[in-house]
Amino acid sequence: MSAFVDAQSGGFSINLVHRDFEGSPFYNPKETPARRVGIAGRRSIGRVHRFSSRSISDPSDPDAQLTANNGEYLVNISLGTPPFPIVAIADTGSDIIWTQCKPCTDCYKQDAPLFDTKSSSSYRTVSCSSNACNSLQSEGSSCSSDGSVCEYQVSYGDQSHTQGDVAAETLTLESKTGNPVALPKTVIGCGHDNAGTFSPKGSGIVGLGGGPASLVSQLGSSIGGKFSYCMVPYAAAKPTSTMNFGTNAVVSGNGVLSTPLISDPSQPTFYFLQLEAVSVGSKKIAFQGSSIGGSGNIIIDSGTTLTLVPTDFFSQLSDAVETQVTGGTKTSDPEGFFSLCYVPDSSLKLPPVTAHFKGADVVLTSDNIFIQVNDKVVCLAFYANDQLSIYGNVAQQIFLIGYDLPKQTLSFKPTDCTNT
């Protein structure tokens, strides 16, 4: 049974699975926890390469493959009629929804079967004069050689690319209630020429950014411009987090803090916030951040693990944390990636840390500040980067994070995400 969801239906919720949890196609049981966390940290840097056209990663780097499809959370979707299952990356740093499709002129190796458009009765290509084609102008939309079909092209910072036909197709989400949510005539990219450093484990991307082609924008008024998510801690036993849409996404009640959600017309994909300072104990460190996003100075992104901040700010923050930590034993990261690590014994006491967003003083927990590398090591989940400032998903865990696009607000509510 499928049902198209609108604002009057009460909204819906779906599961998100972290790519490093068992059951994910990306899960590698041979990796040690330290190696897994180290690679996740490097994916954070890969996000900057992807977000910034000024930066090109080295394709010979063994971690370069983490750049093109390096979101952290996966969602089960289906395309077409009858539904064809795809495990896609849910990405607030992307707009377009795309997957590889048959026939493939030049496709990267993919472990899962490719979507065959000829097997779907609901698949329709989009004309060049359509609103759907115009919505993909930021994705390099153009016309086919005979002028009949709208085409898209997306190039990533590591020189990977995807291009193909723009189409209208039924996209089905698996809701947490067990009832599929069918979204007819969703605009997608059907990739026929995709190459670069894509992982064979990936089979699609669901863009959740602020641009007109994203799933959130396409749902538009049917969800009242609202979505939210609640991400479990990285070391939690429960593998699933939750994403909500429509009335299910309303964040209310005691403890809710809200800050302006800032858009930049020149970069409509990204969700910007204004971070004014971070306090470590009684020491308040002013934050300048990236000179992008209009009055916004930091991007909030579910697909970046670490919080990336300018080098000077990181030095002050790291020094303040180290100075105020009591007990415990300082140690080294087994992978050599993180700079400030401790043995998490019973004597370790961390200072209180507060992120001062405009109008919202968000008190962080130890799970937001440090990431558990293994049973014997925790490391500061911030990293120095002078290109872009990004508020990563470790800092967002154990909060219900709500986006209200009509009101242009983002809300935080401390929440036990293992019970959502």
Side-chain angles (χ1 to χ4, degrees):
M1 173 180 174
S2 295
F4 182 72
V5 174
D6 60 22
Q8 283 71 45
S9 69
F12 63 96
S13 301
I14 60 175
N15 286 323
L16 298 176
V17 177
H18 195 281
R19 63 183 292 155
D20 288 335
F21 277 105
E22 189 172 356
S24 158
F26 291 90
Y27 176 71
N28 183 354
K30 295 181 180 179
E31 287 177 349
T32 64
R35 175 64 176 161
R36 201 170 289 137
V37 171
I39 292 176
R42 289 177 175 86
R43 282 197 297 268
S44 297
I45 306 306
R47 295 286 279 185
V48 176
H49 288 300
R50 184 180 154 194
F51 289 169
S52 174
S53 61
R54 296 173 296 167
S55 179
I56 304 296
S57 65
D58 180 2
S60 65
D61 182 343
D63 289 318
Q65 65 173 330
L66 304 173
T67 303
N69 52 353
N70 66 348
E72 296 298 300
Y73 290 89
L74 308 177
V75 58
N76 290 310
I77 68 170
S78 296
L79 288 177
T81 308
F84 178 83
I86 291 173
V87 180
I89 292 172
D91 189 4
T92 55
S94 296
D95 286 328
I96 192 170
I97 305 163
W98 73 268
T99 189
Q100 295 198 115
C101 297
K102 291 182 178 180
C104 227
T105 306
D106 182 16
C107 281
Y108 65 89
K109 182 183 181 299
Q110 179 178 301
D111 293 346
L114 302 186
F115 177 51
D116 187 352
T117 60
K118 293 181 180 179
S119 298
S120 172
S121 62
S122 51
Y123 179 86
R124 301 287 186 274
T125 54
V126 165
S127 71
C128 296
S129 59
S130 65
N131 290 333
C133 191
N134 292 333
S135 74
L136 284 168
Q137 285 183 349
S138 62
E139 307 293 349
S141 63
S142 61
C143 277
S144 58
S145 56
D146 62 5
S148 63
V149 177
C150 180
E151 298 180 335
Y152 77 96
Q153 178 172 349
V154 177
S155 297
Y156 297 105
D158 66 345
Q159 299 179 312
S160 298
H161 73 269
T162 173
Q163 62 185 70
D165 297 337
V166 179
E169 180 59 290
T170 297
L171 184 150
T172 303
L173 298 167
E174 294 184 11
S175 75
K176 289 176 72 75
T177 63
N179 293 322
V181 179
L183 309 173
K185 299 181 180 178
T186 300
V187 177
I188 66 166
C190 211
H192 299 294
D193 181 355
N194 318 289
T197 58
F198 295 102
S199 166
K201 304 295 184 184
S203 54
I205 292 178
V206 174
L208 298 167
S214 78
L215 178 62
V216 171
S217 296
Q218 289 192 60
L219 288 171
S221 60
S222 71
I223 59 168
K226 298 181 180 67
F227 71 99
S228 65
Y229 49 75
C230 200
M231 295 183 288
V232 300
Y234 198 84
K238 179 189 175 186
T240 55
S241 297
T242 300
M243 174 166 272
N244 311 294
F245 296 89
T247 52
N248 284 26
V250 174
V251 179
S252 61
N254 294 332
V256 175
L257 298 170
S258 297
T259 188
L261 193 59
I262 300 164
S263 60
D264 179 356
S266 67
Q267 302 177 87
T269 301
F270 304 129
Y271 300 107
F272 291 95
L273 305 176
Q274 186 174 346
L275 179 62
E276 297 174 337
V278 173
S279 292
V280 181
S282 60
K283 183 176 178 59
K284 194 171 188 178
I285 308 165
F287 184 81
Q288 297 299 322
S290 307
S291 57
I292 54 175
S295 59
N297 60 6
I298 192 166
I299 295 168
I300 182 168
D301 179 39
S302 66
T304 302
T305 299
L306 306 179
T307 293
L308 307 180
V309 294
T311 300
D312 179 63
F313 181 87
F314 175 80
S315 296
Q316 295 181 67
L317 177 71
S318 180
D319 288 347
V321 171
E322 184 176 2
T323 299
Q324 297 187 52
V325 164
T326 58
T329 303
K330 189 177 178 183
T331 189
S332 299
D333 171 20
E335 288 292 314
F337 181 79
F338 297 97
S339 61
L340 183 61
C341 302
Y342 292 90
V343 176
D345 58 35
S346 59
S347 68
L348 180 64
K349 296 190 183 306
L350 304 176
V353 175
T354 301
H356 300 282
F357 292 99
K358 184 176 181 180
D361 295 331
V362 179
V363 179
L364 304 180
T365 71
S366 59
D367 287 324
N368 302 127
I369 305 162
F370 280 83
I371 189 167
Q372 187 167 346
V373 173
N374 58 36
D375 291 340
K376 298 180 179 179
V377 179
V378 295
C379 297
L380 185 66
F382 289 71
Y383 199 83
N385 175 75
D386 290 319
Q387 291 178 312
L388 288 175
S389 298
I390 300 177
Y391 194 71
N393 62 51
V394 172
Q396 300 175 56
Q397 291 168 359
I398 326 178
F399 284 92
L400 179 60
I401 308 287
Y403 295 68
D404 189 324
L405 303 185
K407 291 184 178 179
Q408 294 185 302
T409 59
L410 182 126
S411 298
F412 301 84
K413 183 179 181 180
T415 303
D416 180 1
C417 299
T418 61
N419 288 329
T420 60

